[in-house]
């Protein structure tokens, strides 16, 4: 004993020790800690799972023991009756001895001799001994089984009682674990399994003893019982061994588990027979085997389920279960479940086919008279149908399908008709479901045509090949071609007639085979199937726009449709006929008047972006067809009428520059140019076109296309009010690109490649148009990195002077435009124009300085109320005056021309002399001071030059 702990123990008083001891023994008390209390829910989960297992185990034992008690009681009673008769054969019968004595005495009297009686000796026969041994043993075993069964019932009750003595989950869980582990430790499972074995031995002993009992009585009867016993033993042995070799067998005897264990002791012999591993009991082996290759069994389960659902009201639970089994939480489908789910709609029996049942369900408008309940039921049915279509489409896209075990169409034509005309179904789900059903049917049709092509390309006699192709094509008709294509339908009819005729005329020729092959080759042309996909996508979008409905999971449905085929649906290199391309002209078919103010609201931008992409999926969008012209007009009007947030979304999603293409393609159409001009303005105004403060390559490309068109524009464009602004803004976009790239080059933010060939070409073109009265720098392309540093600096300086002069000229022109406009629109990208000019300390051409000064004077020369307003309805001149004009520079060092300075001073003085003058605006005072300095320096220079002349 460690003596260091003695003082602590001795410090406790006797009363305290006794009190603690008594308290620990009180029933119902346990010293649980707060940490244990925090685990109550965790322990409850263990208790629930453990109690479910224990309940099923103990209830099984109890029912088995109840059966054995009843059987052993009846059996013992019957056996006792037999024993009463059999045990007499173990002793001499006194009646026999008495009759023997009487017989001997009568014989002696008749002979006159003296009677001498000797009692005969008795020796029980071997069959009697064997019979009684076995029957008494059988009776003992039967009674033992009854006693043990009673014990098992008592022990199970005690087990459950102990597990529920404590209400605390922690204590209850630990008691449950303690008693169950004890149950396993002492092998109660084996004990319970032994009781039926003893009973079976008892019964076997009875039958063997019965043979011994009947052997002295009657030989024929003995043989009969022997035969019965042999049959019984064979059946018993069979019932014992069958589950060892067939794990799905329902038969089993207590000896089966024993033999299974013995077999596995021989290096896992029984487990290896079933390709299993591990230390598995017979029951565990059955569970493990049931999880292997379950596809056929799953199919039978699903077929049974469908056969059991006789009424539509019973279908709703399975409708709800189907999406859960098919769709993944993050999107996509569970292709691994296809085999299970496909068994629901592969049956040709409508009563057993889930698609037929859904068809019938929605055709009857559901099962409830309550509108709310009705809508819910229809939604559930359509979600199930949509999930099935989604699964079939993706499975058909990624996996090969055996046509022999596949329906011609997963979804029948009648279902398609119901979805097309029904007005009681939820619109958003109906549109998406209909599109996916059509897509699945198109896949099925394509699969059949491919199979026909494979059959016709094989080797063999013409009649055999045509007959095989006709068998494959059976079930497909012209009504299954749901899109408008004269080319496809004509070849389809031709192929169908050839294949049908081959079944009636058995003398098919090689020419007929070749005709069929040519017809199939035309049907397999990628353009034909692209047209079909465009038709499905077009119908999907058109129905959405027509009903003002956002389809259920629109993006997912749209992507699933056009990805259901290996074709590049949006590749314009894949040609389609002009009459097939009409399916993509959705905007021209809208029943909505695009001139109404609510046009962008009735067609959400998310939907319009998809229409735009579909419209540009063929080369026919650039034609002069009235439909295409109308489409382009509606697209541009939509862009002009929608809100700024909608414009931002549209431009962001339009990664293929369809809006720009729509504008460029329509520029040469002189009818109604206004919406094109407004669209150009809208696109220039979009912030999403900018790459930071720089010009994006997308905007630069578009601006250059407009720049090239401007000289060729007809008078209908040039006379339009906003055309001058389009010209100025186009020039500014290209100029801005040059300004920022040249600045990056000057500040070592970029190398010589900052001015790429396109930028250099744009500078040349701008110089010819905007700076024709100036000579361009000698070398517009950047100098190489190896050039002399001074020459490089000089080149950059001359280029900056050229570009900044161009920038200021554009500013002067925009000031003139704002001066002339009175509609409250401030034109121009003033933030962009000020960005580099405000810190510029270089030079600007004097002529352009004068143009700027003159434009400023024109603005100030307006009536004061036009440039001096502060209200929200202020004229553009006023907005320009206060918001932009005086922020073009901090130092105004580029103002060097005296004539321009004098005009600017007059303009500023007029502003300051106005009766409503509220102080200088932004850097107005700095500009005034700079102009005064320039004038003073000019006067001094003139004075010096005059004095020099006099001298």
């Amino acid at each position: 004993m460690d003596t260091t702990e003695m003082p602590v123990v001795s410090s406790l008083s006797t009363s305290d020790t006794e009190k603690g001891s008594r308290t620990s023994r009180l029933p119902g008390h346990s010293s649980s800690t707060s940490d244990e209390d925090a685990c109550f829910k965790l322990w409850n989960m263990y208790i629930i799972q453990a109690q479910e297992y224990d309940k099923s185990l103990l209830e099984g034992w109890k029912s088995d023991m109840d059966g054995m008690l009843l059987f052993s009681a009846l059996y013992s009673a019957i056996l006792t009756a037999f024993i009463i008769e059999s045990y007499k054969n173990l002793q001499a019968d006194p009646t026999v001895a008495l009759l023997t004595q009487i017989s001997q005495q009568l014989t002696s009297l008749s002979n006159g001799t003296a009677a001498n009686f000797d009692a005969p000796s008795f020796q029980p026969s071997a069959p009697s001994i064997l019979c009684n041994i076995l029957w008494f043993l059988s009776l003992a075993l039967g009674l033992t089984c009854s006693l043990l069964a009673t014990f098992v019932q008592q022990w199970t009750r005690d087990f459950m009682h102990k597990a529920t003595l404590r209400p605390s989950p922690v204590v209850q869980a630990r008691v449950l674990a303690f008693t169950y582990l004890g149950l396993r430790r002492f092998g109660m499972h084996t004990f319970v399994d032994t009781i039926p074995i003893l009973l079976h031995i008892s019964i076997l002993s009875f039958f063997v003893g019965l043979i011994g009992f009947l052997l002295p009585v009657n030989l024929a009867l003995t043989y009969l019982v022997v035969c019965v016993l042999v049959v019984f033993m064979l059946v018993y042995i069979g019932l014992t061994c069958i589950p060892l070799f067939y794990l799905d067998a329902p038969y089993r005897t207590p000896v089966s588990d024993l033999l299974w264990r013995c077999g596995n002791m021989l290096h896992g012999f029984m487990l290896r027979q079933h390709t299993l591993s591990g230390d598995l009991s017979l029951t565990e082996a059955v569970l493990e085997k049931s999880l292997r290759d379950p596809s056929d069994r799953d199919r039978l389960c699903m077929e049974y389920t469908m056969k059991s659902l006789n009424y539509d009201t019973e279908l709703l639970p399975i409708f709800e279960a189907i999406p859960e089994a098919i769709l993944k939480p993050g999107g996509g489908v569970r292709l691994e479940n296809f085999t299970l789910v496909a068994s629901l709609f592969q049956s040709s029996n409508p009563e057993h086919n889930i698609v037929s049942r859904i068809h019938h369900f929605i055709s009857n408008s559901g099962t409830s008279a309550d509108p709310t309940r009705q809508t819910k039921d229809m939604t559930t049915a359509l979600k199930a149908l949509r999930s099935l279509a989604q699964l079939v489409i993706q499975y058909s896209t990624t996996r090969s399908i055996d046509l022999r075990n596949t329906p011609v169409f997963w979804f029948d034509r009648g279902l398609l008709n119901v979805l097309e005309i029904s007005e009681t179904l939820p619109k958003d789900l109906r549109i998406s479901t209909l599109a996916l059903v059509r897509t699945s049917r198109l896949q099925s049709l394509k699969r059949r045509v491919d199979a026909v092509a494979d059959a016709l390309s094989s080797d063999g006699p013409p009649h055999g090949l045509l007959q095989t192709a006709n068998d494959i094509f059976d079930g497909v008709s012209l009504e299954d071609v749901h899109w408008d294509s004269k080319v496809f339908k004509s070849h389809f009819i031709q192929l169908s007639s050839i294949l049908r005729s081959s079944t009636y005329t058995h003398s098919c020729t090689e020419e007929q085979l070749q005709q069929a092959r040519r017809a199939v080759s035309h049907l397999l042309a990628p353009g034909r199937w692209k047209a079909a996909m465009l038709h499905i996508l077009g119908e999907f979008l058109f129905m959405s726009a027509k009903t003002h409905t956002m389809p259920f999971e629109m993006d997912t449905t749209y992507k699933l449709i056009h990805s259901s085929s290996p074709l590049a649906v949006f590749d314009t290199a894949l040609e389609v006929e002009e009459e097939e391309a009409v399916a993509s002209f959705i905007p021209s078919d809208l029943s909505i008047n695009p001139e109404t103010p609510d046009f962008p609201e009735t067609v959400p931008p998310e939907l319009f972006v998809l229409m735009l992409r579909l419209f540009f999926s063929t080369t026919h969008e650039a034609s002069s067809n009235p439909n295409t012209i109308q489409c382009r007009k509606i697209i541009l009007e939509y862009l002009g009428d929608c809100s700024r947030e909608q414009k931002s979304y549209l431009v962001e999603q339009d990664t293929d520059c369809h809006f720009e293409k729509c504008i460029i393609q329509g520029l040469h159409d002189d009818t109604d140019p206004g919406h094109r001009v407004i669209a150009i303005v809208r696109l220039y105004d979009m912030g999403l076109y900018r790459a930071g403060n720089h010009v994006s390559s997308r905007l630069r490309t578009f601006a250059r296309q407009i720049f090239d068109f401007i000289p060729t524009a007809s008078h209908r464009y040039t006379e339009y009010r906003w055309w001058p602004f389009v010209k100025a803004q186009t020039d500014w976009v290209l100029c801005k690109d040059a300004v920022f790239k040249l600045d990056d080059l000057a500040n070592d933010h970029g190398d010589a490649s900052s001015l790429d060939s396109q930028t250099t070409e744009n500078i040349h073109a701008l110089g010819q148009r905007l700076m024709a009265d100036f000579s361009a720098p000698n070398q517009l392309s950047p100098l190489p990195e190896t050039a002399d540093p001074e020459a490089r600096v000089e080149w950059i300086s001359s280029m900056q002077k050229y570009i900044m002069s161009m920038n200021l000229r554009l500013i002067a022109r925009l000031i003139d435009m704002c001066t002339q406009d009175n509609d409250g629109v401030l034109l121009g990208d003033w933030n962009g124009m000020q960005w580099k000019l405000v810190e510029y300390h270089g030079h600007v051409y004097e002529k352009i300085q004068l143009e700027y000064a003159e434009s400023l004077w024109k603005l100030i020369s307006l009536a004061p109320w036009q440039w001096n307003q502060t209200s929200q309805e202020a004229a553009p001149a006023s907005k320009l005056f206060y918001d932009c004009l005086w922020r073009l520079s901090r130092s105004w060092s580029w103002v060097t021309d005296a004539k321009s300075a004098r005009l600017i001073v007059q303009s500023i003085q007029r502003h300051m002399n106005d009766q409503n003058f509220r102080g200088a605006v932004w850097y107005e005072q700095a500009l005034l001071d700079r102009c005064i300095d320039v004038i003073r320096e000019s006067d001094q220079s003139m004075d010096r030059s005059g004095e020099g002349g006099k001298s």
Side-chain angles (χ1 to χ4, degrees):
M1 179 181 293
D2 190 354
T3 57
T4 58
E5 294 185 0
M6 291 300 292
V8 178
V9 177
S10 61
S11 65
L12 294 174
S13 65
T14 304
S15 59
D16 291 339
T17 305
E18 293 177 352
K19 181 178 179 181
S21 177
R22 289 193 299 270
T23 303
S24 64
R25 293 189 181 93
L26 288 176
H29 287 76
S30 61
S31 56
S32 63
T33 65
S34 60
D35 293 336
E36 291 177 337
D37 293 343
C39 299
F40 275 6
K41 290 185 177 180
L42 189 61
W43 283 113
N44 274 328
M45 292 301 299
Y46 166 76
I47 292 171
I48 291 172
Q49 299 299 321
Q51 284 183 343
E52 287 182 359
Y53 174 82
D54 293 342
K55 182 179 179 181
S56 61
L57 176 67
L58 299 180
E59 285 183 353
W61 285 354
K62 182 179 181 301
S63 61
D64 289 344
M65 296 305 106
D66 288 339
M68 277 188 283
L69 281 173
L70 179 61
F71 178 80
S72 61
L74 295 174
Y75 171 68
S76 298
I78 296 172
L79 183 58
T80 302
F82 279 90
I83 290 176
I84 291 174
E85 294 296 328
S86 67
Y87 85 93
K88 297 177 183 180
N89 297 329
L90 298 178
Q91 59 186 358
D93 189 350
T95 304
V96 174
L98 179 60
L99 291 175
T100 302
Q101 183 180 358
I102 293 172
S103 175
Q104 289 178 353
Q105 289 176 351
L106 291 175
T107 303
S108 298
L109 288 175
S110 63
N111 294 332
T113 60
N116 185 15
F117 175 76
D118 294 327
S121 62
F122 176 77
Q123 183 67 32
S125 63
S128 298
I129 295 174
L130 178 62
C131 173
N132 281 277
I133 289 174
L134 292 177
W135 280 1
F136 275 99
L137 177 62
S138 179
L139 180 61
L141 291 176
L143 294 176
T144 301
C145 288
S146 298
L147 177 62
L148 295 180
T150 305
F151 281 159
V152 170
Q153 288 185 327
Q154 180 182 352
W155 295 337
T156 54
R157 286 194 300 270
D158 184 61
F159 180 90
M160 297 304 298
H161 178 66
K162 290 177 182 177
T164 56
L165 279 176
R166 297 295 186 267
S168 170
V170 178
V171 177
Q172 185 178 355
R174 288 173 176 168
V175 171
L176 195 62
F178 180 79
T179 54
Y180 178 74
L181 292 176
L183 181 146
R184 293 186 58 184
R185 177 186 174 191
F186 288 95
M188 189 170 175
H189 290 82
T190 304
F191 183 87
V192 173
D193 291 340
T194 304
I195 298 176
I197 296 177
L198 296 178
L199 188 58
H200 292 184
I201 295 174
S202 174
I203 296 173
L204 179 62
S205 300
F206 169 75
F207 277 107
V208 177
L210 184 60
I211 295 174
F213 178 77
L214 293 175
L215 186 61
V217 177
N218 187 281
L219 193 59
L221 187 58
T222 302
Y223 290 155
L224 177 62
V225 174
V226 169
C227 291
V228 173
L229 179 59
V230 170
V231 172
F232 170 78
M233 289 302 298
L234 292 175
V235 171
Y236 189 86
I237 294 172
L239 295 178
T240 301
C241 296
I242 285 177
L244 302 180
F245 299 97
Y246 304 96
L247 295 180
D248 58 340
Y251 314 116
R252 182 184 294 190
T253 69
V255 185
S256 301
D257 294 282
L258 179 62
L259 293 178
W260 177 268
R261 294 192 188 98
C262 294
N264 287 329
M265 290 179 183
L266 302 174
H267 305 288
F269 173 76
M270 297 307 302
L271 288 169
R272 283 187 283 109
Q273 294 299 314
H274 301 284
T275 64
L276 299 174
S277 61
D279 185 16
L280 303 177
S281 66
L282 182 56
T283 300
E284 292 171 340
V286 172
L287 296 177
E288 180 69 19
K289 194 68 173 180
S290 66
L291 300 178
R292 297 190 178 184
D293 300 325
S295 56
D296 291 337
R297 297 188 297 274
D298 293 348
R299 177 180 54 81
L300 295 175
C301 292
M302 293 299 101
E303 289 179 358
Y304 172 79
T305 302
M306 291 307 303
K307 292 177 183 178
S308 302
L309 301 175
N310 297 321
Y311 302 99
D312 286 347
T313 53
E314 300 174 330
L315 291 171
L316 288 173
I318 197 171
F319 289 169
E320 295 174 353
I322 287 175
E324 292 291 333
I326 293 177
L327 303 180
K328 293 181 179 179
V333 298
R334 306 179 192 273
L335 294 177
E336 296 76 10
N337 292 345
F338 177 82
T339 304
L340 174 67
V341 178
S343 59
L344 292 173
F345 53 100
Q346 282 184 318
S347 174
S348 58
N349 187 343
E351 294 298 323
H352 303 160
N353 191 303
I354 187 65
V355 176
S356 298
R357 299 295 295 274
I358 294 176
H359 180 188
H360 184 267
F361 186 86
I362 63 179
S363 297
N364 294 338
S365 300
T367 59
S368 176
D370 181 12
T372 304
R373 179 69 181 179
Q374 179 85 355
T375 302
K376 182 179 179 181
D377 292 348
M378 290 294 99
T379 299
T380 302
L382 284 182
K383 283 185 176 180
L385 184 61
R386 185 183 183 279
S387 302
L388 291 172
Q390 189 171 348
L391 176 64
V392 170
I393 292 170
Q394 291 200 5
Y395 189 86
S396 300
T397 304
T398 58
R399 310 286 175 86
S400 59
I401 296 180
D402 184 5
L403 297 182
R404 294 171 298 178
N405 301 321
T406 304
V408 177
F409 293 99
W410 298 100
F411 305 94
D412 59 276
R413 192 183 305 131
L415 174 63
L416 191 68
N417 295 334
V418 170
L419 293 174
E420 287 176 343
I421 64 176
S422 177
E423 297 295 336
T424 60
L425 299 175
K427 292 181 181 179
D428 57 342
L429 265 171
R430 182 175 72 91
I431 294 171
S432 294
T433 305
L434 176 60
L436 294 184
V437 168
R438 282 176 171 163
T439 303
S440 175
R441 287 181 59 83
L442 181 63
Q443 278 186 330
S444 298
L445 182 60
K446 177 68 164 57
R447 190 165 53 243
R448 293 287 162 175
V449 174
D450 290 338
V452 169
D454 293 338
L456 293 176
S457 61
S458 303
D459 295 330
H463 179 267
L465 297 181
L466 291 172
Q467 183 63 49
T468 302
N470 182 63
D471 294 340
I472 297 173
F473 211 55
D474 188 34
V476 178
S477 68
L478 189 62
E479 296 179 0
D480 297 316
V481 182
H482 301 296
W483 68 97
D484 295 328
S485 175
K486 295 179 181 179
V487 176
F488 187 91
K489 289 182 178 180
S490 63
H491 292 298
F492 185 92
I493 295 172
Q494 181 184 3
L495 176 64
S496 180
S497 62
I498 295 173
L499 296 181
R500 297 295 187 269
S501 63
S502 66
T503 61
Y504 303 108
T505 60
H506 298 284
S507 58
C508 298
T509 64
E510 183 68 25
E511 178 61 26
Q512 288 177 301
L513 179 61
Q514 294 302 324
Q515 290 177 357
R517 289 174 176 173
R518 285 193 294 270
V520 169
S521 65
H522 287 298
L523 292 179
L524 289 178
R528 306 290 76 75
W529 299 102
K530 175 180 178 178
M533 297 301 300
L534 294 180
H535 178 82
I536 294 176
L537 290 169
E539 286 293 318
F540 172 65
L541 300 178
F542 176 70
M543 290 181 64
S544 303
K546 183 179 180 181
T547 58
H548 305 172
T549 304
M550 183 66 72
F552 179 76
E553 295 188 359
M554 180 183 68
D555 290 338
T556 302
T557 304
Y558 189 84
K559 292 176 182 178
L560 184 60
I561 294 172
H562 74 72
S563 64
S564 63
S565 172
L567 299 174
V569 177
F570 298 105
D571 183 8
T572 55
L574 189 58
E575 293 289 346
V576 298
E577 298 292 334
E578 185 173 0
E579 53 104 8
E580 295 173 330
V582 175
S584 63
F585 301 156
I586 307 301
S588 65
D589 294 331
L590 293 179
S591 59
I592 308 163
N593 183 4
E595 296 180 358
T596 58
D598 61 344
F599 176 54
E601 284 70 29
T602 55
V603 181
E606 296 84 0
L607 185 62
F608 200 81
V609 165
L610 302 184
M611 294 182 184
L612 187 68
R613 187 181 183 191
L614 188 66
F615 175 63
F616 280 89
S617 61
T618 71
T619 57
H620 299 285
E621 43 82 23
S623 68
S624 58
N625 186 288
N627 284 335
T628 60
I629 294 175
Q630 179 68 9
C631 282
R632 290 195 293 262
K633 177 181 178 182
I634 292 178
I635 289 171
L636 297 182
E637 288 183 344
Y638 186 93
L639 181 65
D641 292 340
C642 62
S643 65
R644 184 171 184 82
E645 291 75 16
Q646 290 174 328
K647 292 186 182 70
S648 299
Y649 176 83
L650 290 172
V651 174
E652 181 180 7
Q653 295 297 316
D654 181 26
T655 56
D656 294 325
C657 307
H658 291 144
F659 282 113
E660 294 95 307
K661 292 178 183 177
C662 197
I663 293 173
I664 299 301
Q665 290 167 359
L667 284 176
H668 299 284
D669 179 17
D670 284 345
T671 60
D672 193 14
H675 65 277
R676 299 185 189 93
V677 175
I678 296 299
I680 295 172
V681 174
R682 295 284 185 261
L683 290 183
Y684 281 154
D685 189 46
M686 291 304 303
L688 289 175
Y689 275 103
R690 299 179 185 135
N693 294 316
H694 291 64
V695 176
S696 67
S697 59
R698 176 178 177 180
L699 179 57
R700 183 181 69 175
T701 301
F702 176 64
R704 182 53 194 263
Q705 291 174 318
I706 302 300
F707 182 88
D708 293 337
F709 169 75
I710 287 174
T712 63
S714 66
H715 70 282
R716 293 180 62 86
Y717 283 97
T718 57
E719 293 176 358
Y720 191 74
R721 174 187 175 187
W722 298 110
W723 184 247
F725 172 69
V726 168
K727 292 174 59 178
Q729 192 69 355
T730 301
D731 295 340
W732 164 241
V733 170
L734 300 180
C735 179
K736 180 181 178 181
D737 179 61
V739 167
F740 276 81
K741 289 186 177 179
L742 187 64
D743 187 72
D744 290 341
L745 189 61
N747 296 326
D748 293 329
H749 294 160
D751 54 18
S753 62
S754 296
L755 286 183
D756 52 45
S757 59
Q758 182 62 54
T759 302
T760 304
E761 183 182 346
N762 291 340
I763 294 175
H764 275 287
L766 282 171
Q768 293 175 2
R769 184 173 300 180
L770 295 179
M771 308 290 286
D773 49 344
F774 295 96
S775 59
N778 295 331
Q779 189 176 8
L780 285 177
S781 58
L783 297 176
E785 294 291 338
T786 57
D788 180 56
E790 294 184 0
R792 183 176 177 81
V793 170
E794 182 180 355
W795 174 83
I796 292 176
S797 177
S798 63
M799 285 298 300
Q800 284 183 326
K801 180 179 180 180
Y802 188 70
I803 298 298
M804 286 302 180
S805 298
M806 190 183 299
N807 185 0
L808 190 61
R809 174 165 277 181
L810 288 172
I811 289 175
R813 293 185 179 181
L814 285 171
I815 293 175
D816 290 340
M817 292 181 191
C818 292
T819 301
Q820 298 168 6
D821 188 82
N822 294 313
D823 286 349
V825 180
L826 180 59
L827 302 176
D829 176 23
W830 287 97
N831 289 331
M833 289 184 289
Q834 297 165 354
W835 188 262
K836 295 300 180 183
L837 190 62
V838 68
E839 299 293 345
Y840 179 60
H841 297 289
H843 298 283
V844 174
Y845 297 146
E846 293 182 353
K847 182 178 180 180
I848 294 180
Q849 292 182 41
L850 184 59
E851 289 179 7
Y852 168 72
E854 289 174 347
S855 64
L856 181 62
W857 172 251
K858 291 178 183 178
L859 179 65
I860 302 298
S861 298
L862 296 173
W865 64 267
Q866 288 184 289
W867 52 261
N868 201 22
Q869 298 180 76
T870 57
S871 64
Q872 294 295 329
E873 293 79 16
S878 181
K879 293 179 182 180
L880 175 64
F881 188 86
Y882 285 101
D883 295 337
C884 308
L885 198 59
W886 311 110
R887 292 193 295 177
L888 296 179
S889 179
R890 298 179 188 272
S891 63
W892 305 93
S893 59
W894 44 266
V895 178
T896 57
D897 178 58
K899 184 177 181 180
S900 302
R902 287 187 175 89
L903 195 55
I904 293 173
V905 168
Q906 294 179 17
S907 302
I908 295 175
Q909 287 177 345
R910 179 165 184 174
H911 170 227
M912 292 182 174
N913 293 332
D914 185 80
Q915 60 181 358
N916 295 319
F917 178 71
R918 297 184 298 277
V921 182
W922 294 100
Y923 305 112
E924 181 183 13
Q925 185 63 48
L927 176 59
L928 178 62
D929 296 342
R930 172 63 180 171
C931 290
I932 292 174
D933 291 342
V934 169
I935 294 172
R936 183 183 303 111
E937 291 176 1
S938 175
D939 292 343
Q940 292 176 353
S941 176
M942 291 179 63
D943 292 341
R944 286 193 298 270
S945 62
E947 293 175 357
K950 292 178 182 179
S951 63

